[in-house]
Amino acid sequence: MSGLKLHKKGHGYYLTRNGKKVGTPIPKMTMSFEWSYVTLDIDADCDLKVVGDFLLLISDYTPLTISTFYSIHLCFFEGELTQHWHDDEKIWEQRPLLFYPDRNGLQAAASDLLTFNGAIYLPMNPGVSCKGEYNTKDFVDMTSKGRWLFPHPDGSRAAYEHMKKTTLEDDLERLMPHFEDHPELMEIFADLM
């Protein structure tokens, strides 16, 4: 367990790890609003959720996703508030990790993400499932179905960059010493063994 917790203060949010404030607080963030994109008024909903050692933004037609997909984004909460959110609000920079064609798939995935020692198993490889959002040359592993996102001492951005430069085989090597005590982890790597 990472000890990372999300707190709401007024209309804003901040994080603590083991009781100590970490990252950059958001003074104001609207989680449900009407968002006008081109000429359409779209009801937008989102949620912030701590999973493992990471903060995820679960989005539903937000300015982060200019498509009909629902998505889960990794927030770089240690950084500055750089991205425009809604009206005068700004949020942390973030990257999409998973896209889903329906809201039910999104909610199920957000609730059922497997975690281990602060790491998150992503049931879809972000380099593949979000390739329209990324330069796919940035991802070394473009063949695996899913990937592990491991905590990094330098924060969530460093964890994300590490994932881009490694493969599922690297994930297997990292988790293999834990298989005896946690056999459920082996199921993810069935194709590799």
Side-chain angles (χ1 to χ4, degrees):
M1 174 92 54
S2 72
L4 187 67
K5 291 185 179 179
L6 180 67
H7 305 271
K8 184 168 175 56
K9 183 176 181 181
H11 295 288
Y13 295 86
Y14 69 95
L15 290 126
T16 60
R17 180 175 282 117
N18 301 321
K20 184 179 177 182
K21 283 189 178 182
V22 294
T24 307
I26 288 185
K28 181 182 177 189
M29 184 171 177
T30 305
M31 298 301 238
S32 184
F33 52 87
E34 191 173 89
W35 176 57
S36 295
Y37 177 65
V38 187
T39 58
L40 302 174
D41 288 331
I42 300 171
D43 290 331
D45 288 303
C46 66
D47 192 22
L48 289 171
K49 182 176 184 174
V50 171
V51 179
D53 198 42
F54 300 98
L55 179 65
L56 304 180
L57 174 73
I58 293 90
S59 72
D60 170 358
Y61 288 102
T62 69
L64 304 174
T65 309
I66 306 172
S67 69
T68 58
F69 286 91
Y70 302 91
S71 57
I72 296 176
H73 301 253
L74 173 64
C75 295
F76 300 145
F77 64 88
E78 302 90 349
E80 296 302 311
L81 306 179
T82 57
Q83 285 193 329
H84 175 76
W85 178 246
H86 176 69
D87 292 335
D88 61 346
E89 300 169 22
K90 289 196 171 194
I91 63 167
W92 311 279
E93 186 180 350
Q94 39 58 52
R95 295 289 183 277
L97 293 177
L98 304 168
F99 285 126
Y100 291 88
D102 63 80
R103 184 176 296 184
N104 292 337
L106 172 75
Q107 294 304 328
S111 298
D112 297 335
L113 288 171
L114 177 64
T115 62
F116 179 74
N117 288 347
I120 304 172
Y121 179 68
L122 305 171
M124 289 185 246
N125 182 338
V128 177
S129 69
C130 302
K131 63 185 171 187
E133 298 286 318
Y134 298 125
N135 179 351
T136 54
K137 294 176 185 172
D138 290 345
F139 285 82
V140 170
D141 184 348
M142 292 296 292
T143 58
S144 66
K145 294 177 186 170
R147 285 301 314 276
W148 279 90
L149 180 65
F150 293 98
H152 193 284
D154 294 331
S156 53
R157 182 186 298 275
Y160 172 78
E161 292 299 327
H162 176 78
M163 179 189 63
K164 287 176 24 180
K165 293 175 175 67
T166 59
T167 65
L168 186 62
E169 288 83 1
D170 297 317
D171 298 350
L172 170 63
E173 191 174 307
R174 188 167 178 172
L175 291 172
M176 197 175 287
H178 304 283
F179 285 177
E180 188 173 317
D181 294 333
H182 299 277
E184 70 277 9
L185 296 174
M186 287 193 306
E187 295 173 25
I188 292 167
F189 301 102
D191 293 345
L192 299 177
M193 299 172 87

